[in-house]
Amino acid sequence: MNENDKLFVRRSKNSEGRINIDEPLWSQDTYLGRCMHYTFITDCRTLLVSERKLREAKELCEDYRVGKEPTGLQRKDIIYAKKLRDSAFHPDTGELMHLLGRMSSQLPSSIVLTTAMLTFYKSAYGVVACQLVNQGINAIVNYTNRNAMSDDPEDVSMVYQAFALATTASCAAALGFRRIISSRGALFARFVPFCAVAAGNVVNLPIMRQREITRGIPIFTKDREECIMMSRIAAIKGISECIVTRILMAAPGMLLVPVVTQRLRSYCFYQLRPWIVMPIEISLSTICLLIMIPSALAIYPQKNSMKPGLMKICLSEYEEFQKAIGERTYPDRVYYNKGL
């Protein structure tokens, strides 16, 4: 257990009642609560846990939900089991997620990719190779963390088509920005990887989650007891929020690190030891990502909301919503799962 887990256990030590195994341990109505929650489930140490133990943790959570947990189970044990389940299993389908698709893998994979992109940005071949790997991993992450309630088992081939299109578009964007920005100086040239990553996310996410846009995602009343209808507007809004999150997640590391390393070039200790750039880049990238992964994910609640009037953008959808509401009280907001 990390320090956040221990802090929660200490605060809950004297509290009565059981935890809600299906809800976050912290309030999702505040930014701090969401930040604590994402710090909890994106702990990269959970990647080292075997599949057997992950499934045992999920089974323990299911037993706890119905009150059949083992006698003498301690609160810290069920909290750790919840952590493993929430980090490794999809919230909609309950399936074990691909290792690279879990948010807990964002830190190690992003450190490697960020360092590689900042190192090989000068070579066109290096740019293409880094973007192929980057967008391949992004495609896995985007598909793994989709809203699976829009899935159709019969169109699995769309996943491969989307991956091919997203990877091609991302590499084209990377080379295009490299050609435009590189001529403006050495420092600007080092911002090429961030521009490519930002453009890649704008392309990759909508393509990988296109089924949500074409079919819509479920929207609910506040208590989530009733699905009102499938909304394409909610899907577009949710995917847009995910794009903003991913870009902000990468921004500090990919914009700050080039500035720092560029300034180091004027010092004699760098000129005598040029190898020092690599460990500095890795260290700075790690610090930025440790802070930004939970901070960026916490910007929007995963179960976000919107005003029904937003659906007037698509009049047919708004009319469908009005028919679905019928004689019931018109809600101020409707809720949806935006994915991650």
Side-chain angles (χ1 to χ4, degrees), residues 149-316:
M149 298 178 78
S150 299
D151 279 1
D152 185 341
E154 296 181 359
D155 61 6
V156 178
S157 61
M158 290 182 65
V159 176
Y160 302 105
Q161 296 171 13
F163 166 71
L165 289 171
T167 304
T168 302
S170 300
C171 289
L175 292 174
F177 277 109
R178 179 176 176 272
R179 180 180 293 272
I180 294 170
I181 298 178
S182 294
S183 60
R184 300 195 176 186
L187 181 58
F188 281 97
R190 301 212 66 185
F191 294 149
V192 168
F194 172 71
C195 295
V197 167
N201 278 315
V202 171
V203 173
N204 199 318
L205 257 164
I207 292 178
M208 289 304 298
R209 294 173 61 176
Q210 61 184 285
R211 288 175 296 183
E212 296 176 37
I213 298 173
T214 56
R215 297 173 185 162
I217 59 175
I219 54 175
F220 300 87
T221 52
K222 186 173 184 179
D223 53 15
R224 292 185 62 85
E225 291 181 356
E226 178 186 4
C227 175
I228 301 172
M229 57 178 281
M230 304 291 282
S231 170
R232 295 184 297 277
I233 300 299
I236 293 171
K237 184 173 182 288
I239 291 171
S240 300
E241 290 163 350
C242 290
I243 291 172
V244 172
T245 296
R246 300 293 179 80
I247 292 175
L248 291 178
M249 190 185 298
M254 302 197 81
L255 295 178
L256 175 64
V257 173
V259 172
V260 173
T261 53
Q262 189 70 21
R263 286 184 177 274
L264 287 177
R265 294 178 184 276
S266 61
Y267 293 95
C268 61
F269 79 87
Y270 166 78
Q271 295 169 3
L272 294 173
R273 305 172 186 84
W275 54 265
I276 202 171
V277 170
M278 181 69 74
I280 289 176
E281 287 185 344
I282 294 174
S283 299
L284 289 175
S285 298
T286 302
I287 293 169
C288 290
L289 287 165
L290 275 171
I291 296 171
M292 287 308 301
I293 288 174
S295 300
L297 289 173
I299 293 173
Y300 302 104
Q302 184 167 354
K303 296 177 182 177
N304 209 352
S305 65
M306 68 179 186
K307 292 183 178 179
L310 189 61
M311 285 184 278
K312 290 181 181 178
I313 295 173
C314 178
L315 289 177
S316 60

Side-chain angles (χ1 to χ4, degrees), residues 69-81:
E69 70 274 12
T71 304
L73 179 70
Q74 295 185 23
R75 193 177 185 86
K76 65 179 181 179
D77 295 328
I78 189 60
I79 289 174
Y80 184 64

Side-chain angles (χ1 to χ4, degrees), residues 10-203:
R10 287 198 297 271
R11 287 178 175 175
S12 306
K13 196 172 182 180
N14 298 320
S15 63
E16 296 181 359
R18 299 162 63 84
I19 67 171
N20 187 337
I21 201 68
D22 297 316
E23 294 294 332
L25 300 176
W26 295 269
S27 170
Q28 298 300 283
D29 294 331
T30 66
Y31 176 79
L32 181 59
R34 294 194 295 272
C35 198
M36 295 288 283
H37 169 66
Y38 286 116
T39 301
F40 182 69
I41 66 171
T42 59
D43 186 347
C44 61
R45 291 175 298 180
T46 60
L47 297 172
L48 302 176
V49 179
S50 67
E51 181 178 337
R52 180 180 62 82
K53 289 187 177 180
L54 291 174
R55 295 194 181 278
E56 287 175 355
K58 181 185 179 186
E59 185 178 350
L60 177 59
C61 290
E62 292 171 351
D63 290 342
Y64 184 85
R65 182 188 296 114
V66 296
K68 294 183 179 179
E69 70 274 12
T71 304
L73 179 70
Q74 295 185 23
R75 193 177 185 86
K76 65 179 181 179
D77 295 328
I78 189 60
I79 289 174
Y80 184 64
K82 175 177 170 59
K83 176 179 186 172
L84 294 180
R85 186 201 63 176
D86 291 353
S87 67
F89 292 89
H90 196 285
D92 292 336
T93 65
E95 296 176 353
L96 183 65
M97 295 186 288
H98 189 284
L99 190 72
L100 288 176
R102 301 174 198 170
M103 279 297 164
S104 51
S105 74
Q106 283 290 288
L107 180 62
S109 61
S110 295
I111 290 171
V112 172
L113 287 168
T114 299
T115 304
M117 284 188 280
L118 293 175
T119 301
F120 301 111
Y121 71 97
K122 290 183 178 180
S123 164
Y125 293 108
V127 169
V128 171
C130 288
Q131 286 304 313
L132 280 170
V133 177
N134 182 43
Q135 295 309 322
I137 292 176
N138 278 349
I140 294 172
V141 172
N142 294 337
Y143 178 73
T144 302
N145 293 280
R146 71 203 183 282
N147 184 322
M149 298 178 78
S150 299
D151 279 1
D152 185 341
E154 296 181 359
D155 61 6
V156 178
S157 61
M158 290 182 65
V159 176
Y160 302 105
Q161 296 171 13
F163 166 71
L165 289 171
T167 304
T168 302
S170 300
C171 289
L175 292 174
F177 277 109
R178 179 176 176 272
R179 180 180 293 272
I180 294 170
I181 298 178
S182 294
S183 60
R184 300 195 176 186
L187 181 58
F188 281 97
R190 301 212 66 185
F191 294 149
V192 168
F194 172 71
C195 295
V197 167
N201 278 315
V202 171
V203 173

